Amino acid sequence: MTSAPLIELRNISKRFGGVRALDDVSLSLDGARIHCLAGENGSGKSTLIKVISGVYQPDEGEIYIDGQKVGPLDPVTSIAHGVQVIYQDFSLFPTLSVVENITLNTFVREGRTRINWTRAREMAREVLQRLDVTLDLDATVETLPAAGRQIVAIARAMLADARLIIMDEPTTTLTGREVARLFRIVRDLQADGIATLFVSHKMREMLEISERLTVFRNGKKVTEGPIAEFDERAITRAMTGRDLHQGRFAAPDLAGRKPRLELRDVTVGHQAHDINLTLMPGEIVGLSGLIGAGRKALAQAVFGLRGDMSGEMRIDGVPVAPKSVPEAIAAGIAYVPEDRLSEGLFLTRSIRDNAIVSSMRRFAPRLWLDGEKAAAETRKMFGEMAISAPGIDVPVGTLSGGNAQRVMIGRWLMTHARVLILNGPTVGVDVGSKEQIHGIIQELTRTSDLAVLMISDDLPELAANCNRVLCMTEGRIMAELSGHTLTEEALDAALSRTTQGEPA
Amino acid sequence: MKFMRSSDAIILAILVVAMVFIGLVNPAFWQMSNLFSLLKENVVIGIMALGVLLVMISGGIDVSFTAFAVAGMYLTVRVMVALDYNGLVLPFMSAILIGGLLGLMNAGIIHRFKMIPLIVTLGTASVVRGLVLGLVGTSNVNINKMPDALVAFGKADLVTLERANGSTYGLTAMIAIYLGLALALHLVLKYTMIGRSVYAYGADPEAAKRVGFSTGRTMMFVYVTAGALAGFSGLLHSSMIWLANPRDFVGLELDVIAAVVLGGASIFGGRGTVLGTVLGVFILVMIQNSLILMGIDTTWQRIVVGAMLIAAVTVTALRDRRALV
């Protein structure tokens, strides 16, 4: 680029109380470039976005736009300079139509008092055409899948004459095909002269889409350069400050062992059919498949959350048919749901309260809670799970994603579970923490003879942590990979093969 | 057809089915005189419901409107009696102003202190009712004292028909005022930015702020309009029944909220239409009316209204939840 960068930050620092969220950071974003910002949770990425979008004013440093020094930005001037942020929650209006969601901010910006619906429809249609996407303009946004909402958010940003679109973790809720479409759109935007700042912690995506990469750690810029200079290992080292070992999980010795969990011809409603599955103690078995393949229904059925399960289920050879969660817990089953915020944790309560809640009967056999016993066992779990927090009395809402997930897993271990079902065990958890969680799970299968069923969309995670992986499609198990056939590539191939719609 | 897929169409279908059913059980339902009196009963509840609809779209619940209606009505009528004033425009303006100012108080407290509308309006309702009774008076203004202009206004009919025995009955002109207000609110909600900002705020207040709406202005618009509609409906009510009772409208909150929910507005905000609300009010009034025609005791009517509210909330909650998945 010969011209001045679109946005240049020089020596920006931002403090919150005693914490330095950003420490002397300089960053330069060129027009029509795809730049990636990587870093673990709390590394300062979000603070930096908010400085660019004008939500936060930096304590020190200067901001230049098109080579001109600008004063501290506020949201309105930032938008006027063409900066648009697509937040993780998209900030859309769920009950309003696609048309309105796309056009409302333009009407507000133009200071209109009346709405011209004909013009609004034209604007929406035009911008969706530019994105080469078809959406029902009259559908309410709440009826769209996450990918559709993201399109609406991007369309809205484009209408606002964006020159830089900042996307905060845009691929978290997307399937593989939707990610491909998003990347196509980002490249189209680039062809139109719009720059994108991708905030992500998924290696694969960074390497695929971005042209330049900046890595943050502890509020500092650690490294920066063209993407060609990086590989996964280098990025991980920059983000975590150490090398991660991506050792594979070795299959346990199963000779002479009895199966821990057996499913025989299990059918769950219309979502899972004729499932036969055996889980040995010490095994970590992966369950792969697209969203809607019936993985979650199966897991919920085993955990007693569904009334429409038929077939036979045995734990350590004893037939069980849990009809409720307490029955499933009593049978030794534990389930860590995908969305720990809405389905699992009580954010305002302490780590201890969250930890003991599934084994209440043990800690409160009669009316009173045995506080000492509860605290002691929580502390033991706290140590085993290597949770980093000031103590067991802090509210779970203050913990990072990785630590919250450890509390969640720890809670279930305190029920003395023999079968642990993990759904998306490291969704929203950063790389360093992710590796530790994997290590803990692997260790547990070795020391406590736990049998683990791991549901995940993260193929590298499955390949590295499972001794077997089952691929599920349209409610049936269609393939099994193990040993040397279990590789990311083979998993990817198995998934795309099964979705080509062979036997249904 | 877009309309056929909307909840308004479903409510219309329910209304038609209910009308056919009620007509079969009680053929007197279809008599012109009954239909006219039914429409008349729609007016005051309907105007109040428009205000409640507005608050509900913005994601709140208002239970103070009956108190504001009483304040607008009773204060105005008492002043008219005291001054021996016999006009129309000024009194109605005064009732609207009283309601609007009280609404401004709601908006101020809710917005400034970020409080839950239900609790704030419960409080302001109690305060306002107490002030009216404590400072203004507790006695009814009866027909013999009511200003003639108000009484005459309330009597105005659009059409007058004659019964076989020679007595006459008519369709009240107030229905035109009600439908006019409904149309105006519909246009404001559909075609103006302030109207859309109410939906946006109800759908997601944080997103509304990020888009650039001034949410304080929106809240002010919502609660001042709701208050003004309440004040107006209060005075209109007293001119239609030739009586100003400072203890009027007690318990009416439930009927009005039930009608609005019946009309498809979501208690979670962001959803609701004027047409739906008008239909919802009609259904509620019609069912109450036919219970009276069937000679069912008024205490039992409360059970029906309560059950209808719960049923409507359940249905809309299921609809909203399904949409979220």
Side-chain angles (χ1 to χ4, degrees):
Chain A
M1 296 294 289
T2 47
S3 56
L6 179 58
I7 290 193
E8 195 182 352
L9 306 176
R10 288 189 195 162
N11 312 104
I12 298 282
S13 291
K14 176 77 188 168
R15 251 175 250 102
F16 294 103
V19 183
R20 269 178 179 267
L22 287 177
D23 190 0
D24 196 23
V25 169
S26 297
L27 181 72
S28 157
L29 301 174
D30 288 328
R33 291 282 159 191
I34 302 171
H35 199 117
C36 194
L37 192 59
E40 300 196 296
N41 291 333
S43 61
K45 291 177 302 186
S46 320
T47 313
L48 188 87
I49 295 176
K50 287 182 176 161
V51 167
I52 299 178
S53 64
V55 176
Y56 292 155
Q57 281 70 46
D59 299 327
E60 286 161 40
E62 294 163 343
I63 302 173
Y64 292 78
I65 294 182
D66 300 320
Q68 301 289 313
K69 187 176 170 186
V70 291
L73 290 170
D74 59 56
V76 177
T77 42
S78 172
I79 289 168
H81 282 297
V83 176
Q84 284 285 324
V85 183
I86 297 176
Y87 294 95
Q88 254 177 302
D89 62 1
F90 304 138
S91 244
L92 296 172
F93 303 108
T95 57
L96 303 187
S97 69
V98 169
V99 173
E100 194 161 9
N101 270 284
I102 292 179
T103 55
L104 205 51
N105 68 333
T106 304
F107 286 134
V108 174
R109 207 161 42 93
E110 291 172 354
R112 293 186 184 271
T113 54
R114 273 185 293 165
I115 289 212
N116 179 345
W117 286 105
T118 326
R119 185 170 158 244
R121 291 185 75 82
E122 263 164 31
M123 281 160 55
R125 198 175 299 129
E126 216 172 279
V127 72
L128 287 176
Q129 234 159 39
R130 261 175 78 192
L131 288 172
D132 198 15
V133 179
T134 38
L135 275 183
D136 178 3
L137 292 180
D138 295 310
T140 52
V141 160
E142 67 199 344
T143 62
L144 301 179
R149 292 180 206 187
Q150 188 172 53
I151 299 286
V152 172
I154 295 174
R156 176 167 84 174
M158 284 176 68
L159 265 188
D161 292 327
R163 294 195 296 153
L164 169 66
I165 298 183
I166 302 177
M167 299 189 191
D168 191 3
E169 302 287 356
T171 59
T172 327
T173 48
L174 302 190
T175 63
R177 201 173 305 165
E178 290 162 346
V179 172
R181 178 171 72 171
L182 175 68
F183 286 179
R184 198 259 302 151
I185 288 173
V186 168
R187 292 196 184 99
D188 285 354
L189 290 176
Q190 183 180 25
D192 280 355
I194 300 173
T196 304
L197 179 64
F198 242 78
V199 180
S200 178
H201 51 231
K202 295 195 185 165
M203 306 288 164
R204 209 159 267 254
E205 294 166 11
M206 296 181 213
L207 292 171
E208 185 180 340
I209 189 73
S210 52
E211 297 169 319
R212 258 185 104 73
L213 177 74
T214 304
V215 181
F216 272 46
R217 187 170 74 233
N218 296 331
K220 290 194 181 101
K221 184 163 88 175
V222 188
T223 177
E224 185 175 52
I227 197 73
E229 294 175 5
F230 292 93
D231 58 17
E232 287 198 21
R233 214 182 151 81
I235 300 174
T236 308
R237 194 185 307 128
M239 280 166 70
T240 60
R242 60 195 143 90
D243 266 316
L244 299 181
H245 77 284
Q246 271 293 0
R248 303 227 0 190
F249 178 64
D253 180 17
L254 300 173
R257 304 297 306 258
K258 286 209 191 89
R260 177 57 42 91
L261 171 73
E262 282 175 284
L263 298 181
R264 290 285 160 262
D265 302 319
V266 165
T267 294
V268 185
H270 295 291
Q271 282 134 301
H273 312 280
D274 308 323
I275 303 292
N276 284 294
L277 186 157
T278 307
L279 223 62
M280 304 297 281
E283 268 199 310
I284 302 180
V285 174
L287 194 54
S288 153
L290 297 177
I291 289 165
R295 295 176 299 171
K296 188 175 177 183
L298 180 65
Q300 288 184 328
V302 171
F303 192 50
L305 283 167
R306 309 261 312 204
D308 51 358
M309 178 173 126
S310 64
E312 202 186 343
M313 171 170 159
R314 285 166 188 274
I315 288 188
D316 289 331
V318 183
V320 287
K323 290 272 170 291
S324 67
V325 173
E327 282 180 45
I329 293 174
I333 304 165
Y335 174 59
V336 178
E338 198 171 13
D339 188 346
R340 51 183 177 271
L341 299 183
S342 69
E343 290 179 51
L345 294 168
F346 306 98
L347 296 178
T348 56
R349 306 306 306 249
S350 68
I351 293 179
R352 190 203 72 166
D353 288 354
N354 272 281
I356 63 172
V357 70
S358 291
S359 9
M360 266 315 182
R361 189 157 296 172
R362 218 147 48 72
F363 297 112
R366 277 171 293 279
L367 273 176
W368 284 270
L369 175 71
D370 185 345
E372 271 172 42
K373 188 175 166 194
E377 288 210 26
T378 305
R379 258 184 226 109
K380 183 163 159 270
M381 181 278 285
F382 193 85
E384 282 171 5
M385 301 299 293
I387 295 169
S388 116
I392 60 167
D393 295 319
V394 300
V396 164
T398 61
L399 301 182
S400 71
N403 282 308
Q405 182 71 327
R406 286 176 220 197
V407 173
M408 194 71 203
I409 297 174
R411 168 200 291 173
W412 288 108
L413 297 176
M414 285 168 72
T415 66
H416 300 320
R418 288 171 287 170
V419 177
L420 176 63
I421 306 173
L422 300 164
N423 192 353
T426 56
V427 170
V429 171
D430 50 49
V431 206
S433 213
K434 195 168 163 176
E435 196 218 27
Q436 282 180 332
I437 289 176
H438 289 157
I440 291 167
I441 295 170
Q442 296 190 9
E443 185 61 27
L444 283 169
T445 60
R446 280 190 283 267
T447 56
S448 338
D449 251 4
L450 202 62
V452 178
L453 185 66
M454 185 187 279
I455 302 174
S456 178
D457 293 326
D458 188 343
L459 300 183
E461 172 170 67
L462 290 177
N465 290 289
C466 302
N467 56 318
R468 284 192 289 147
V469 175
L470 309 170
C471 295
M472 208 164 159
T473 309
E474 290 172 16
R476 290 169 203 277
I477 294 175
M478 303 296 288
E480 177 172 337
L481 303 169
S482 63
H484 66 276
T485 62
L486 176 55
T487 61
E488 279 173 49
E489 291 70 30
L491 274 173
D492 202 21
L495 266 186
S496 46
R497 195 168 53 241
T498 49
T499 50
Q500 295 309 313
E502 278 172 295
Chain B
M1 278 291 288
K2 233 164 90 183
F3 178 75
M4 297 308 288
R5 280 188 289 142
S6 67
S7 20
D8 291 352
I10 298 168
I11 297 155
L12 189 63
I14 293 173
L15 174 63
V16 171
V17 169
M19 283 176 93
V20 170
F21 178 74
I22 291 170
L24 284 177
V25 173
N26 186 355
F29 173 80
W30 288 107
Q31 279 174 13
M32 237 1 157
S33 59
N34 184 54
L35 293 181
F36 281 5
S37 84
L38 202 61
L39 287 172
K40 187 175 181 179
E41 285 172 53
N42 267 274
V43 172
V44 170
I45 295 188
I47 296 173
M48 288 175 168
L50 295 176
V52 169
L53 169 70
L54 199 55
V55 174
M56 219 180 264
I57 294 174
S58 80
I61 294 219
D62 183 0
V63 292
S64 63
F65 62 91
T66 54
F68 295 2
V70 165
M73 159 186 77
Y74 193 64
L75 256 165
T76 307
V77 172
R78 282 293 295 265
V79 171
M80 284 175 83
V81 172
L83 300 177
D84 205 13
Y85 180 81
N86 205 11
L88 272 182
V89 177
L90 274 182
F92 272 106
M93 280 174 59
S94 124
I96 291 171
L97 190 70
I98 292 169
L101 285 174
L102 291 170
L104 188 63
M105 173 176 74
N106 273 343
I109 299 171
I110 291 166
H111 184 69
R112 180 77 181 73
F113 303 109
K114 295 189 169 44
M115 296 225 290
I116 301 168
L118 174 65
I119 306 300
V120 172
T121 53
L122 264 176
T124 53
S126 180
V127 169
V128 168
R129 271 193 189 275
L131 285 176
V132 168
L133 293 172
L135 297 180
V136 189
T138 55
S139 56
N140 289 356
V141 178
N142 290 318
I143 172 77
N144 51 356
K145 278 200 191 155
M146 275 294 278
D148 294 337
L150 280 184
V151 174
F153 181 66
K155 274 184 185 168
D157 282 343
L158 279 181
V159 234
T160 313
L161 297 177
E162 201 169 296
R163 286 196 189 85
N165 64 10
S167 64
T168 61
Y169 62 99
L171 174 62
T172 177
M174 305 306 125
I175 196 82
I177 296 177
Y178 164 42
L179 294 179
L181 284 172
L183 181 66
L185 185 67
H186 169 75
L187 294 175
V188 167
L189 281 176
K190 179 101 209 253
Y191 294 104
T192 68
M193 284 306 276
I194 189 79
R196 298 321 290 176
S197 78
V198 179
Y199 282 95
Y201 188 88
D204 189 336
E206 192 53 43
K209 237 179 269 174
R210 285 186 192 164
V211 161
F213 280 122
S214 149
T215 51
R217 235 180 88 209
T218 304
M219 296 314 273
M220 212 174 353
F221 167 72
V222 166
Y223 287 95
V224 169
T225 310
L229 284 168
F232 177 76
S233 70
L235 190 60
L236 193 66
H237 174 73
S238 96
S239 107
M240 286 169 78
I241 63 166
W242 319 326
L243 174 80
N245 171 7
R247 292 193 174 86
D248 214 338
F249 303 131
V250 172
L252 193 68
E253 302 88 355
L254 184 72
D255 294 45
V256 177
I257 292 172
V260 175
V261 174
L262 210 55
S266 167
I267 47 168
F268 305 119
R271 216 192 298 260
T273 63
V274 170
L275 178 61
T277 297
V278 170
L279 293 174
V281 169
F282 193 85
I283 292 177
L284 186 96
V285 169
M286 180 180 75
I287 288 176
Q288 284 184 325
N289 166 281
S290 34
L291 291 176
I292 297 170
L293 284 188
M294 285 188 264
I296 289 167
D297 195 74
T298 47
T299 41
W300 290 94
Q301 290 178 32
R302 301 313 302 161
I303 297 176
V304 173
V305 172
M308 277 168 67
L309 175 64
I310 293 171
V313 168
T314 311
V315 171
T316 49
L318 285 177
R319 169 198 69 186
D320 298 348
R321 201 166 307 150
R322 190 190 55 207
L324 287 175
V325 171

